[in-house]
Amino acid sequence: MNSVTDYSLPGIGPCIRLVGAQPLLPVLQAAMPGWALTECPRQSVEPDICVWQQEEGYWQQANALPRGMWLETAVGAACSVIADVAGAFLRKQPNYIGLHCGSAEINGQLVIFPESHRAGKSTLTSAFAATGYRVFGDDVLALTPEGEGVSLGIAPRLRLPLPDSINAGFQDFVSAHQGPSDHRYGYLVLDERLLAHHGVKRPIGAIILIDRDNSVTTPKLSSLQHGEGLWQLLKQNFADTLSEQVLITKFLPLVKRIPCFLLRYSDAYQAAEFVGRELKRALHDQPSTYTPPSQAASMPEAAALERSDQRCWRACKAAHEYSLGDELFVIVEDGGAIHRMNVTSRAVWLLLQNEAMDIDELSKTLAEFFMPVSREQVSKDMSLLLAWISHSTS
């Protein structure tokens, strides 16, 4: 008969049961060293997260996996369990919001870099640790109502194998701190100097959007509008039960007081050194004139209206509007999606709130305002923008 052992975690309670799966315990302890996993009396009610050892792997069940999941390795099982543990913690802390980001502490403040597809946030987080900065996690950070980040005490997890081009100093660090691993992932074993324990808090100091580009020879840090940081937080969080209207009211005070940057880099170790060295100076730079592209700009040409379209347009009454710098965030209906408008689309929205106008009238007005932009270009943009507005607010 398989042995059954229950474990508790601070802030959650008894939440993990291992059934004959004791080989998984040291992997979990290494992967979440900043969060004490403690054996507790066997519970009369089955805990939310249960793992059974099978001949060739593990079987896990959790609230997020009601039908269960088979996992081939102990590391794979640990990855799944940790994701469920993070979710359980956030559900127990309704005032916290889970952010999908990496984070590192620089001069007593957290720099967070939201998830961006294959941009390397876990590698960059690990590189910050390699350069001597304490990290708060590479995937999930809890955000308090006061704008502080809360560490969950979970070690960074690297995708394996590491690329051959990885910096030699970083490679040495990874080798010296290599923890549990399989053919896909490997955890780093970090002490409390390099990995914040569960529950440690620090204020958020900056948001950095990351763009890994192999053609970049030296890292570059550019200022972005505050709206870009807000947009990333709205898209990269785990608050599935909160509407975007609620989220924007929670994020807006934070984003207004912290800068947002774009980091372009090819080598993570070099980038971490650069950010740590340059961030203090960069925080005092003047805001950039960079304007995020309108959402309409990414629409296919086929979606554009005919420029000869003579229909008059008028903006509907919005339920909520939030101004942030030159940008405007609009929620048309309570509980509805949020729409981000840059300088141009915001001008159109304000014009159409005052009077009904067709494409030609809008183009003429805006061409005069944004001189020397050609009326032809403005007309083309308006046909795209109106198509997007009518589609996204209908």
Side-chain angles (χ1 to χ4, degrees), residues 225 291 323-328 341-344 346:
Q225 297 283 354
T291 300
S323 179
L324 184 58
D326 292 332
E327 296 187 89
L328 184 68
M341 298 183 179
N342 66 6
V343 175
T344 302
R346 180 179 186 175

Side-chain angles (χ1 to χ4, degrees), residues 144-202:
T144 72
E146 296 74 30
E148 291 184 306
V150 183
S151 173
L152 271 62
I154 299 170
R157 182 191 67 177
L158 291 169
R159 188 181 298 274
L160 301 177
L162 295 176
D164 295 335
S165 59
I166 192 170
N167 180 283
F170 189 22
Q171 178 69 67
D172 291 343
F173 177 85
V174 171
S175 298
H177 294 81
Q178 183 68 61
S181 63
D182 61 13
H183 61 287
R184 295 183 62 195
Y185 296 109
Y187 284 97
L188 295 182
V189 176
L190 305 177
D191 61 26
E192 60 184 12
R193 295 172 301 167
L194 295 178
L195 175 66
H197 279 184
H198 169 72
V200 174
K201 300 178 182 178
R202 288 293 183 271

Side-chain angles (χ1 to χ4, degrees), residues 151-288:
S151 173
L152 271 62
I154 299 170
R157 182 191 67 177
L158 291 169
R159 188 181 298 274
L160 301 177
L162 295 176
D164 295 335
S165 59
I166 192 170
N167 180 283
F170 189 22
Q171 178 69 67
D172 291 343
F173 177 85
V174 171
S175 298
H177 294 81
Q178 183 68 61
S181 63
D182 61 13
H183 61 287
R184 295 183 62 195
Y185 296 109
Y187 284 97
L188 295 182
V189 176
L190 305 177
D191 61 26
E192 60 184 12
R193 295 172 301 167
L194 295 178
L195 175 66
H197 279 184
H198 169 72
V200 174
K201 300 178 182 178
R202 288 293 183 271
I204 307 295
I207 300 172
I208 295 184
L209 279 57
I210 55 176
D211 178 17
R212 185 175 59 187
D213 184 343
N214 291 333
S215 68
V216 175
T217 56
T218 58
K220 295 177 175 60
L221 198 63
S222 306
S223 296
L224 296 176
Q225 297 283 354
H226 289 277
E228 192 66 34
L230 177 60
W231 191 248
Q232 290 298 317
L233 295 186
L234 288 169
K235 298 305 176 184
Q236 298 298 339
N237 66 78
F238 298 105
D240 296 335
T241 61
L242 299 180
S243 69
E244 290 190 309
Q245 176 185 335
V246 171
L247 287 172
I248 197 171
T249 59
K250 290 180 178 292
F251 291 146
L252 200 56
L254 170 66
V255 174
K256 282 183 175 180
R257 67 174 185 262
I258 64 173
C260 180
F261 302 98
L262 172 67
L263 172 66
R264 298 187 65 239
Y265 72 100
S266 58
D267 181 271
Y269 188 85
Q270 185 185 33
E273 286 188 316
F274 170 79
V275 171
R277 183 176 64 249
E278 298 293 323
L279 190 59
K280 185 176 180 180
R281 181 189 63 79
L283 289 174
H284 292 87
D285 283 352
Q286 293 297 315
S288 168

Side-chain angles (χ1 to χ4, degrees), residues 294-307:
S294 166
Q295 290 167 306
S298 63
M299 292 181 59
E301 186 71 23
L305 301 176
E306 293 292 335
R307 289 182 228 175

Side-chain angles (χ1 to χ4, degrees), residues 5 53 129 143 192 273 324 337 378:
T5 311
Q53 177 136 31
L143 179 69
E192 60 184 12
E273 286 188 316
L324 184 58
V378 174

